[in-house]
Amino acid sequence: MSLPIRNVAIIAHVDHGKTTLVDALLKQAGTFREGEDVPDCVMDSNDLERERGITILSKNTAVRYKETLINIVDTPGHADFGGEVERVLGMVDGCLLIVDANEGPMPQTRFVLKKALEKGLRPIVLVNKIDRPRADPHAAVDKVLDLFLELGADDDQCDFPYLFASGLEGYAKETLEEEGVDMQPLFNAFLRHVPPPVGDASKSLQLQVTTLDYSEYVGRIVIGKIHNGTIRVGQQAALVTETGEIVKAKISKLMGFEGLKRIDIEEATAGNLVAVAGFANANIGETITCPNEPQALPLIKVDEPTLQMT
Ligand code: GDP
């Protein structure tokens, strides 16, 4: 897992084409073998989790492009999930703002963009669904710029890179005149405009829990970003809880992301997004750290219903 990394969040108003676009990225990145079906609506298949009463709203996907691992994280668009949005944005160094070429920015675009700008992220703008007959992509870019200005974006943020795309037809391009071929222009934009994660692999471990999941075999799984240090499967680690309590446990399973799947890995270093089992009672916002000198990252405020496990 020592590939260069980019961590990027996708933000969009519902129906502006997030799911379709990520499917197109996955297909192009070759994470699916020939003939293997891409499941529909991969990014928002929350039914199982909902059934279990677990809050898991951000879906992680990863693709490899030009020897770089690009972690793509979904961001809930709804204001009810404000805390979740902030946590997701805290894991990434860039974001892709998808805007429907016809509708332009909508309320959820505004809500999530505001949070991204406040975090200091410089969004890449993707004007989507340009294949539609009444699409007006240039007008959409103008409206997006108006919104940036209205939300108080700085000069650098207002000078956003933008692309035109049809997730449905599987292409992105830099100008409307050129012919759309594939998703490469968007992959290139990720490499060019999303900074690599900061973090020091030689410091002691700090992993912040962003999302919770559950598996029948290993129990609670926490997903989060390694801000500093290295994590290894089998190692002893410490969880600093919300109340400051220190709980020691062994990392029983460590997974990275590849396409839509999770793959077992031996170790991962600062900048990576990983899924970890071993801490049965870990909660969102808490830090997994090294047992000798436990140092928590600042807690991220959670303003949504607490987790209920049965
Ligand atoms: P999400 O809610 O943002 O995840 O949006 P989806 O990806 O589910 O897309 C919402 C609807 O827009 C679906 O009916 C898609 O088929 C359609 N759609 C998505 N991308 C495109 C596109 O590039 N062009 C056209 N014409 N339709 C699209």
Side-chain angles (χ1 to χ4, degrees):
M1 290 289 281
S2 56
L3 292 175
I5 300 168
R6 296 291 187 279
N7 295 324
V8 58
I10 302 213
I11 61 184
H13 187 80
V14 64
D15 264 0
H16 281 195
K18 200 154 59 167
T19 313
T20 308
L21 189 96
V22 171
D23 284 350
L25 289 174
L26 285 169
K27 277 183 192 144
Q28 170 139 15
T31 43
F32 291 94
R33 285 192 299 273
E34 286 292 308
E36 194 175 342
D37 285 340
V38 178
D40 284 339
C41 297
V42 288
M43 297 275 284
D44 45 27
S45 55
N46 273 334
D47 297 354
L48 249 182
E49 287 83 0
R50 246 186 241 124
E51 233 168 62
R52 295 196 184 107
I54 295 178
T55 311
I56 173 165
L57 298 151
S58 58
K59 298 288 179 185
N60 295 56
T61 312
V63 292
R64 279 180 196 208
Y65 179 72
K66 290 189 178 165
E67 296 305 306
T68 301
L69 181 71
I70 305 172
N71 284 305
I72 300 170
V73 194
D74 188 18
T75 315
H78 202 272
D80 284 356
F81 302 113
E84 172 89 12
V85 171
E86 267 154 50
R87 286 195 301 273
V88 169
L89 295 176
M91 292 205 291
V92 298
D93 309 285
C95 64
L96 181 72
L97 174 67
I98 300 179
V99 178
D100 181 308
N102 207 356
E103 289 194 333
M106 296 294 279
Q108 288 167 30
T109 317
R110 180 193 187 87
F111 166 74
V112 195
L113 177 61
K114 184 165 183 284
K115 302 254 181 210
L117 295 172
E118 282 167 3
K119 285 259 172 203
L121 299 175
R122 179 172 178 250
I124 299 168
V125 173
L126 186 102
V127 175
N128 197 23
K129 306 197 190 182
I130 62 165
D131 60 285
R132 290 176 73 196
R134 279 180 298 139
D136 191 348
H138 284 302
V141 176
D142 290 345
K143 284 186 203 154
V144 169
L145 178 58
D146 289 345
L147 182 60
F148 270 63
L149 291 166
E150 200 187 312
L151 294 174
D154 65 27
D155 289 350
D156 196 34
Q157 289 169 325
C158 287
D159 188 24
F160 51 79
Y162 60 89
L163 295 163
F164 301 106
S166 167
L168 198 62
E169 296 183 355
Y171 64 80
K173 54 190 187 177
E174 287 178 5
T175 66
L176 277 183
E177 295 72 39
E178 67 193 284
E179 198 182 336
V181 181
D182 57 22
M183 281 293 167
Q184 282 212 49
L186 180 54
F187 283 115
N188 289 331
F190 286 149
L191 297 196
R192 203 176 309 142
H193 300 295
V194 178
V198 287
D200 190 341
S202 67
K203 283 192 178 167
S204 57
L205 174 66
Q206 287 183 307
L207 180 153
Q208 189 150 41
V209 179
T210 303
T211 312
L212 300 176
D213 196 4
Y214 176 81
S215 131
E216 277 172 41
Y217 304 105
V218 293
R220 184 170 296 190
I221 294 171
V222 306
I223 298 167
K225 180 182 181 181
I226 305 168
H227 287 263
N228 285 305
T230 301
I231 188 166
R232 286 184 195 85
V233 70
Q235 81 167 87
Q236 281 294 126
L239 175 81
V240 185
T241 69
E242 210 172 348
T243 53
E245 196 190 336
I246 301 197
V247 182
K248 295 190 180 174
K250 195 171 100 172
I251 304 296
S252 57
K253 199 172 176 64
L254 180 65
M255 291 165 285
F257 299 93
E258 193 170 294
L260 297 167
K261 300 191 192 105
R262 290 179 195 166
I263 46 164
D264 283 315
I265 52 175
E266 291 291 312
E267 69 168 45
T269 53
N272 265 298
L273 310 186
V274 289
V276 175
F279 288 96
N281 297 307
N283 276 310
I284 286 169
E286 296 177 343
T287 303
I288 293 176
T289 177
C290 105
N292 304 332
E293 35 174 335
Q295 274 183 356
L297 291 157
L299 269 179
I300 319 172
K301 211 173 110 271
V302 186
D303 54 5
E304 61 217 67
T306 44
L307 183 87
Q308 292 165 8
M309 293 273 291
T310 47

